[in-house]
Amino acid sequence: MSDPKARYVDAHCHVDLYPDMEALMARCEADRVLTIAVTTTPRAWPRNMQLASRYSFVEPALGIHPQLVGSGPSELGTWDSYLSQARIIGEVGLDASPRYHRTLDAQKEVFAHVLRECAKVGGKVLTVHSVRTSKQVVDMLEEYLAGSGCTVILHWFTGSMGDARRAADLGCYFSVNADMLSKEAHIKTVQAMPLHRILTESDGPFTKSGTQPRSPSDMPQTVEKLASVIGLERDAMCLKLLDNYVSIFRR
Ligand code: MN
């Protein structure tokens, strides 16, 4: 996790959703990008863990995505069965966008269960989705994770500056992607995030650069953009991001 050769951080990438998952992991290593390989279903865990174990730059995560809650039989039992093997949990969270609003109550039950189970064992790192639910997500983190020794990375966080400050006060980190950095309102939120809690992410393949899905290899451009938004020199920004990433796993 603190490989001296590391240069960049991609704290949220759906590595298993690219055509060649293993080639992408090899690319993370070649481009020296410390990458968290999130998943949307716990069924992806065994292969994610097995492949990631061959690459020191890739950390596998165990996920149960809010957008998939209610779209089939519950996968919570499968998620439970792998929990003890996983240090990183994600993608998890809530989504109240028009398409998923109807399952919000079920999503909350799943997310509450995930947070309770993580709090029981402690020491987990969670990468959390909060579309149109920033306040509710921060409320739930406060309710379930306080004092648990777990660390939360809020991914693509677009809540208010006030919500960002509240989350930061709870100890949360934020992973910022290039799409967030091209919207004025979101830039304000990014500027409210404490510098020692900021990370970069691609959220690939769900974000695109032109017509191509973004990947961990696009992190140099994201760092460039972030550095200019924050008003820091590019190389200093790179070092800060690496420091922040390492600090999560030192906790
Ligand atoms: Mn995602």
Side-chain angles (χ1 to χ4, degrees):
M1 310 249 182
S2 56
D3 196 302
K5 295 198 306 291
R7 297 183 62 191
Y8 299 101
V9 171
D10 185 347
H12 188 106
C13 180
H14 294 264
V15 173
D16 65 324
L17 300 184
Y18 291 78
D20 189 339
M21 178 178 181
E22 191 161 13
L24 190 74
M25 288 188 177
R27 208 358 86 204
C28 294
E29 198 100 348
D31 289 346
R32 306 187 197 172
V33 187
L34 296 168
T35 301
I36 295 179
V38 296
T39 48
T40 54
T41 159
R43 281 177 290 120
W45 172 256
R47 184 165 154 80
N48 193 24
M49 182 192 60
Q50 188 203 351
L51 287 182
S53 70
R54 302 181 198 157
Y55 299 94
S56 66
F57 280 63
V58 183
E59 295 298 329
L62 168 66
I64 184 159
H65 199 291
Q67 292 176 352
L68 299 184
V69 170
S71 65
S74 170
E75 295 193 312
L76 217 41
T78 311
W79 185 88
D80 283 340
S81 69
Y82 294 132
L83 178 61
S84 65
Q85 301 174 20
R87 170 91 193 270
I88 310 181
I89 305 304
E91 172 166 7
V92 294
L94 299 179
D95 191 318
S97 58
R99 231 178 123 189
Y100 303 105
H101 195 274
R102 63 178 176 84
T103 63
L104 190 57
D105 287 341
Q107 292 176 38
K108 279 185 188 164
E109 276 175 38
V110 169
F111 190 42
H113 173 91
V114 163
L115 296 178
R116 266 194 304 267
E117 292 305 308
C118 287
K120 259 188 222 164
V121 285
K124 303 287 189 193
V125 174
L126 293 84
T127 167
V128 174
H129 177 108
S130 56
V131 171
R132 296 202 189 184
T133 49
S134 320
K135 190 187 171 299
Q136 295 165 75
V137 163
V138 177
D139 285 347
M140 286 178 76
L141 297 177
E142 187 169 28
E143 180 180 352
Y144 293 101
L145 287 191
S148 68
C150 292
T151 306
V152 170
I153 305 169
L154 288 163
H155 122 81
W156 204 330
F157 187 81
T158 56
S160 66
M161 292 164 70
D163 289 338
R165 287 195 199 101
R166 231 185 104 213
D169 288 343
L170 291 175
C172 294
Y173 286 69
F174 302 88
S175 54
V176 172
N177 62 54
D179 283 19
M180 295 167 71
L181 296 169
S182 48
K183 290 208 179 78
E184 203 50 50
H186 299 165
I187 287 175
K188 290 247 172 353
T189 302
V190 170
Q191 288 167 335
M193 298 167 181
L195 185 57
H196 67 287
R197 296 282 179 68
I198 294 188
L199 305 163
T200 39
E201 66 166 37
S202 63
D203 198 17
F206 294 113
T207 62
K208 294 202 165 44
S209 170
T211 57
Q212 287 302 307
R214 278 206 191 90
S215 76
S217 304
D218 291 310
M219 289 305 95
Q221 293 92 298
T222 303
V223 171
E224 198 100 34
K225 252 186 169 172
L226 180 62
S228 80
V229 157
I230 289 182
L232 208 66
E233 200 239 327
R234 186 196 176 284
D235 290 348
M237 189 79 243
C238 272
L239 291 176
K240 192 69 206 144
L241 292 165
L242 289 169
D243 252 20
N244 293 350
Y245 183 85
V246 169
S247 73
I248 291 174
F249 297 99
R250 246 197 244 115
R251 283 180 157 199

